């Protein structure tokens, strides 16, 4: 009790293909194989779809009264999102420490409706169970960054189902496939670790024995000859 996570729903929105897919509790990739683009080509494709992706994210946030956490990787994305999303606050690397602290605490307390930032800035260590909606305006190739960013909200203490939206363009499909592959590998690794740990624990328990030293009294106990002590014994007091 208390350590059961709520449901996690991951929706993928491909803004320039006219299609949207959603998957419950997984990152199973059922998309066609994308072109094998170089890193620079993927960055160019991401910049070309920046306006459409930010517009879609703004529609989701502005159409809701709940709190939202919006993750991005490019400064241009962060600036555009802050302009389009009503009541949003941007936290970027060049901001001073006071602004970062005030913004993150303000979001945690519910005073800020939407926080726009990067996983590299706030993707680790923050406890934001107050929020259940987040958007990735595109993905990087780092599964660790994605994993940690999702768990800022989907963590113990979260009492509501968590909604994660991934907004990409069709030309970025290879990034999504890369994240999906790493997710599957991570799940297989965790399952194998659970099995090994269970087997090791069982074997250790089977080999455990209780060590005890028997006590055989060989001498009578002699009580002190104290008047007060003997009086208490006779009267039945302890």
């Amino acid at each position: 009790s208390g350590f059961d996570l709520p449901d996690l729903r991951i929706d993928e929105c491909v803004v320039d293909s006219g299609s949207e897919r959603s998957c419950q509790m997984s990152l199973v990739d059922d998309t066609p194989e994308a072109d094998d683009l170089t890193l620079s080509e993927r960055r160019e494709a991401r910049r070309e779809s920046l306006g459409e992706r930010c517009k879609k994210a703004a529609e989701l946030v502005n159409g809701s009264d709940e709190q939202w956490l919006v993750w991005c990787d490019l400064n241009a994305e962060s600036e555009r999102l802050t302009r389009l999303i009503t009541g949003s606050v941007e936290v970027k690397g060049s901001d001073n420490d006071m602004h970062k602290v005030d913004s993150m605490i303000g979001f945690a307390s519910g005073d800020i409706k939407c926080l726009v930032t990067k996983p590299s800035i706030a993707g680790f260590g923050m406890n934001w169970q107050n929020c259940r909606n987040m958007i990735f305006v595109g993905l990087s190739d780092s599964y660790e960054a994605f994993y940690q960013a999702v768990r800022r909200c989907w963590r113990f203490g979260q009492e509501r189902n968590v909604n994660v939206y991934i907004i990409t363009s069709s030309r970025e499909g290879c990034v999504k496939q890369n994240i999906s592959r790493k997710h599957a590998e991570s799940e297989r690794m965790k399952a194998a670790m659970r099995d090994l740990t269970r087997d090791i624990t069982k074997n250790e328990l089977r080999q455990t024995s209780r060590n005890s030293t028997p006590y055989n009294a060989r001498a009578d106990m002699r009580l002190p000859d104290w008047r007060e002590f003997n009086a208490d014994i006779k009267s039945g007091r302890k």
Side-chain angles (χ1 to χ4, degrees):
S1 176
F3 291 93
D4 298 319
L5 288 172
D7 289 342
L8 173 67
R9 180 179 179 84
I10 300 177
D11 289 345
E12 183 188 11
C13 304
V14 184
V15 294
D16 56 356
S17 68
S19 63
E20 294 185 7
R21 291 172 298 277
S22 65
C23 51
Q24 184 73 20
M25 289 296 293
S26 72
L27 272 175
V28 176
D29 190 20
D30 55 0
T31 61
E33 193 71 20
D35 294 335
D36 188 12
L37 303 178
T38 65
L39 181 59
S40 60
E41 288 173 336
R42 274 185 282 164
R43 286 177 176 172
E44 182 61 28
R46 186 165 183 174
R47 293 184 187 280
E48 290 175 355
S49 65
L50 187 149
E52 292 174 305
R53 289 184 289 105
C54 291
K55 180 180 178 182
K56 180 61 178 179
E59 290 175 356
L60 291 171
V61 179
N62 291 335
S64 169
D65 294 329
E66 298 186 12
Q67 280 188 293
W68 289 78
L69 180 57
V70 180
W71 299 108
C72 57
D73 286 306
L74 303 176
N75 290 335
E77 292 171 345
S78 182
E79 294 170 2
R80 179 76 64 90
L81 288 164
T82 306
R83 291 200 304 267
L84 294 176
I85 299 175
T86 304
S88 62
V89 173
E90 177 187 18
V91 174
K92 56 185 183 295
S94 59
D95 291 330
N96 60 62
D97 292 342
M98 186 59 67
H99 173 76
K100 294 176 181 177
V101 171
D102 290 344
S103 299
M104 293 182 189
I105 292 178
F107 183 72
S109 63
D111 295 332
I112 295 174
K113 176 186 176 181
C114 176
L115 186 68
V116 179
T117 188
K118 300 178 181 179
S120 59
I121 296 175
F124 296 81
M126 304 306 298
N127 296 300
W128 285 327
Q129 296 95 325
N130 54 291
C131 176
R132 72 180 189 124
N133 303 298
M134 71 173 65
I135 300 174
F136 288 86
V137 185
L139 287 175
S140 70
D141 285 297
S142 172
Y143 174 70
E144 181 186 13
F146 175 80
Y147 177 95
Q148 292 291 340
V150 168
R151 276 151 181 79
R152 295 315 95 214
C153 299
W154 191 50
R155 58 192 298 112
F156 295 134
Q158 175 62 261
E159 298 178 351
R160 300 172 295 170
N161 295 338
V162 175
N163 303 309
V164 176
Y165 297 87
I166 302 174
I167 304 177
T168 62
S169 69
S170 57
R171 291 186 62 189
E172 293 180 89
C174 53
V175 180
K176 170 64 165 55
Q177 291 164 5
N178 194 23
I179 292 292
S180 300
R181 175 182 58 79
K182 292 178 180 179
H183 172 78
E185 292 174 352
S186 175
E187 291 301 308
R188 286 194 295 269
M189 180 188 68
K190 287 189 289 187
M193 290 176 64
R194 285 194 297 266
D195 293 341
L196 288 172
T197 303
R198 182 181 63 245
D199 293 342
I200 291 172
T201 303
K202 284 183 178 179
N203 291 334
E204 288 182 348
L205 289 175
R206 291 192 188 102
Q207 298 172 11
T208 329
S209 60
R210 171 180 287 183
N211 296 323
S212 60
T213 302
Y215 173 68
N216 298 316
R218 297 181 180 179
D220 294 334
M221 179 182 291
R222 299 183 61 184
L223 300 179
D225 190 19
W226 296 336
R227 182 176 303 174
E228 296 84 355
F229 184 83
N230 290 329
D232 288 342
I233 294 295
K234 292 178 181 179
S235 63
R237 294 181 303 203
K238 295 182 180 180

